[in-house]
Amino acid sequence: MRLKTVVRYFKRINREVTKLSKQTGYNRFYHLWDYLTAFVRHGAHIDQYIAGRFWQYSNPMRGKCLTHYRRVALEEKYNNPADFHYFKNKPEFNRFFADYVRRGWLWIKESSFEDFKAFLTQYKSVIVKPMDGKQGDGIRKLNYDNQDDTALRGLFDSLVDENVIVEELIVQHPDMVFGNKSVNTIRVLTACRPDGEARIMKAFLRAGVGDTLVDNTATGGYYYEVDLETGIVSSAGISKDGDLVFIHPGSDIVMLGFKVPLWDEVVKMCLDAARRMPRVALVGWDVAISQDHVQLVEGNNSADYIGYEFVGSNGYYEKIKTFMEEK
């Protein structure tokens, strides 16, 4: 199985390098050799070489970038697996960070049918999230319209079998709606040293496209870097394929210069949350912004190196290392 995976990966490398050589005019074997060098010396995956434009970087710049293997090395050094359960288990996350989550929720496996019915009666529309879902898989909206108990119990039993968490819908700030149906979040990467000193390393706006209920690039969304001092979008957006856009697809909104609402609250909450969990030093927080408050959607103990290095500014391997090693 592992050999098949390697063969598929090298076939993909060949396809991607061939397409790139047609765009750049460079010989295909030049890009192939350059990529293999980037992989061996810097741990860059083909996505980073192509969509992240790693092929354009000089070797000194490549040495500063957060690649997949460098991300893994940093996390192994600074993130203690003993506390990962707070991030991997949604009910545990919601309980531990309850004052930052700020929405109603219930875990279906520890709830009765009466709890479930009362929750739906209170909120009417809710979001269903599988406990082990990745990249938004299985997330959907559920609307309650006074269904009879027989139908509702059948739904409850199916959700118990699926093992889901059910949450109150987030009503986002009107400025955060970009002609799409997802809640658009801010991904904020924090680093926290053992002495409790925390810093935001990078932030980017995640804006979904179309009818999907999630805002990541895997489902067609775009990422835009956010200036940490001002909360203003400071870069073009980037898709999973590396396409750069200044006008958000489907909304005709020029994103460059967009001001994230309640930015000071976003900064404060993420720094406070980072200090609360210092043994997991590198965390990517997903933040939703409502009309008058901000709230945590989730935290990720494994940093999204694609977002941090592909969008806007780069060199985050060196920046993170420098901060964590400061005395």
Side-chain angles (χ1 to χ4, degrees), residues 34-88:
D34 186 51
Y35 169 67
L36 293 176
T37 301
F39 176 80
V40 172
R41 291 186 62 180
H42 305 287
H45 277 194
I46 190 64
D47 288 335
Q48 187 160 28
Y49 187 77
I50 305 292
R53 294 174 171 77
F54 208 67
W55 65 272
Q56 294 180 322
Y57 293 179
S58 65
N59 265 318
M61 187 65 233
R62 290 178 178 186
K64 300 176 182 180
C65 289
L66 187 67
T67 62
H68 170 71
Y69 286 103
R70 288 173 180 158
R71 171 187 66 81
V72 170
L74 287 174
E75 289 169 359
E76 288 180 347
K77 183 174 183 178
Y78 295 116
N79 285 2
N80 190 329
D83 287 336
F84 285 0
H85 59 97
Y86 289 108
F87 299 97
K88 296 182 180 299

Side-chain angles (χ1 to χ4, degrees), residues 292-309:
D292 58 358
H293 68 273
V294 300
Q295 59 181 285
L296 289 180
V297 177
E298 65 180 21
N300 301 273
N301 61 275
S302 186
D304 180 2
Y305 81 100
I306 292 175
Y308 302 126
E309 284 295 345

Side-chain angles (χ1 to χ4, degrees), residues 1-16 32 46:
M1 180 63 71
R2 181 172 296 180
L3 178 60
K4 289 182 179 179
T5 301
V6 171
V7 170
R8 282 198 302 268
Y9 186 62
F10 273 94
K11 285 182 177 179
R12 184 183 170 212
I13 290 171
N14 186 56
R15 288 195 306 269
E16 297 293 342
L32 182 60
I46 190 64

